[in-house]
Amino acid sequence: MTTLNSRIPKGPIKDKWTTYKDKIDLVNPANKRNIDIIVVGTGLAGGSAAASLAELGYNVKAFAYQDSPRRAHSIAAQGGINAAKNYQGDGDSTYRLFYDTVKGGDYRSREANVHRLAEVSGNIIDQCVAQGVPFARDYGGLLDNRSFGGVLVSRTFYAKGQTGQQLLLGAYSAMNRQIARGKIEMYNRHEMLDVVLVDGKARGIIARNMITGEIQRHSAHAVVIASGGYGNVYFLSTNAMGSNVTAGWKIHKKGAFFANPCYTQIHPTCIPRSGDYQSKLTLMSESLRNDGRIWVPAKIEDAKAIQQGKLKPTEIAEADRDYYLERRYPAFGNLVPRDVASRAAKERCDAGYGVNATGEAVYLDFAAAIDRYGKEQAKIHGITNASADKIYELGQAVVEAKYGNLFQMYEKIVDENPYKTPMMIYPATHYTMGGVWVDYNLMTTIPGCYCIGEANFSDHGANRLGASALMQGLADGYFVLPYTIGDYLSDDIRTGKIPTDSPEFEEAEKSVTELINFFVSNKGKHSVDFYHKKLGKIMWDKVGMSRNEKGLKEAMAEIKALREDFWKNVNVPGAANEMNTELEKAVRVADFLELGELFAKDALDRNESCGGHFREESVELDGEQEGEAKRNDKDFAYVSAWEYKGEPGDAVLHKEELEFNDIELKQRSYK
């Protein structure tokens, strides 16, 4: 085991990024025209990076497995993007955003990276406004803000419940400008299946044209992975069905360390599972917790009656409702961080108080908000003695203006009017804080191979605060990588074009071709989804919201056995040289079956509870924090970075010790 060098600049934390930028090597504009960069993934991180690098003058090749960059999964983000602009005058600052992010991540993130993120956050908003992103505005025309879980200020900029879509369209428009100029060569419907190393440096990728099946070689002076997270290892998640770990896993197998795979986020506000036939789950934005109150019946007999369809939630008196987050966490109430809210919902449902037929749901109720807004609007409009119906009408209009598309989406899926009947929600797999290990420059342990956005591990520790994913993706792409990659590429101004006829490209292409030929010729008994669903069940049952030593050891053994059966008995219909969605899935699920075992191994090794990683053996047994997660800073204040050694169970642990010089390590409390 070695100690990793994170290459954090020396000096006070508030000066690190500025001093770093002052001293890096630069590439002059004429030389940038001779340097090629590959960007894999075109969501917010990849799209903003590709546009920015092309704007600087580099030649960019961008790869998307979708038919257009605007279909990247970033489009699904709903609630907003954080930035420390203090428009509300409620005490926000760069330091407070830095502090909230480190605390929200349960003190398992790298201070220097998080402070840099907070520093550049304000620039992101200015950039997006300049691109025409239609952020919500207040009555005076200024950008509006709302609050998200884990903070006591309003710093989240939003565009209704479709912020990700609007931000992605901004990045996409910037990309399109560079595509038109010839600075970005766009490869839609292409999937990266391997990275090519020449003399130890990342010098290109092997990609498959998903329409024709053609295997292609693409060279560059640097490779940037921006392929998102690995939440689909659970099969059921809020991720798009195509979201996968393949790009990150392929570079892991070539030498990039994989960090903190056990840190996954279970989002507390998702539409509950309704049956075994489902292929994905639907997120309901955390922003709803600004105005929605979460509750379950206080009496077990009421909960049973609701589960049996004999009682409606609107028939339960206020005194017979348990607003459990407000009861347990009075300081933050319904706006506790996601991991805390998720575990609290699970605890209530496990105790028998769930509110749907499966007993796995709680209520998110907007009745109080509609009444509050209605009375406020009645005063604003000078309506005295407004009737209950008028107050409801006015209040609903306000809620609809803030969250209307989310309510519409819920009604289409559940077939209930959430204005009249409380929404039902339950936690679901959402975001992954773990990912490829990167240093301060966002470079992996492979020289010339960078990783940005959700695909890396760097900013969120053990738990991501809401609205920080979009912030990190755009910070990495617009304002961090364009500096750090130039420092590396300054040594390549005389390298010239990287040839693709080298033995390294030959070997990588051969390996990919053999893998694909294996799948289409292996006449097994079971479909790819058969294995993916089995993997997802193991992960959810034993490596989900709650974990213990026995379950994790069982998970590792079961996943290994499932993987061995997969390679013997998977059946992939169709041919290699055509559009073949089952073949695409097979390659991805093969990677998930390896990641899943490493995920469980990492969770077993980390014998503490922190953020989204909750070990049943590590719980506060008494005092004010009784029942809450118990962190172990003495033994586990480090990043777990795993080196590939052939089998996931044989992976070697490397540690990056975390230093906290600017924030005091203390128990995370939201009470």
Side-chain angles (χ1 to χ4, degrees), residues 514-522 566-567 570 572 583 586-587 590:
E514 287 175 352
L515 175 69
I516 286 171
N517 288 339
F518 165 80
F519 280 126
V520 295
S521 61
N522 192 60
F566 170 84
W567 287 107
V570 70
V572 179
L583 174 59
V587 175

Side-chain angles (χ1 to χ4, degrees), residues 434-456:
V436 179
W437 185 90
V438 293
D439 61 17
Y440 188 75
N441 303 312
L442 304 182
M443 185 150 63
T444 71
T445 43
I446 300 173
C449 184
Y450 291 78
C451 191
I452 60 176
E454 188 181 358
N456 75 26

Side-chain angles (χ1 to χ4, degrees), residues 18-38:
T18 301
T19 304
Y20 171 93
K21 290 189 294 181
D22 287 345
K23 296 183 178 179
I24 57 172
D25 292 332
L26 302 176
V27 181
N28 82 38
N31 287 331
K32 285 174 184 164
R33 293 194 290 269
N34 300 319
I35 292 179
D36 304 323
I37 301 173
I38 285 173

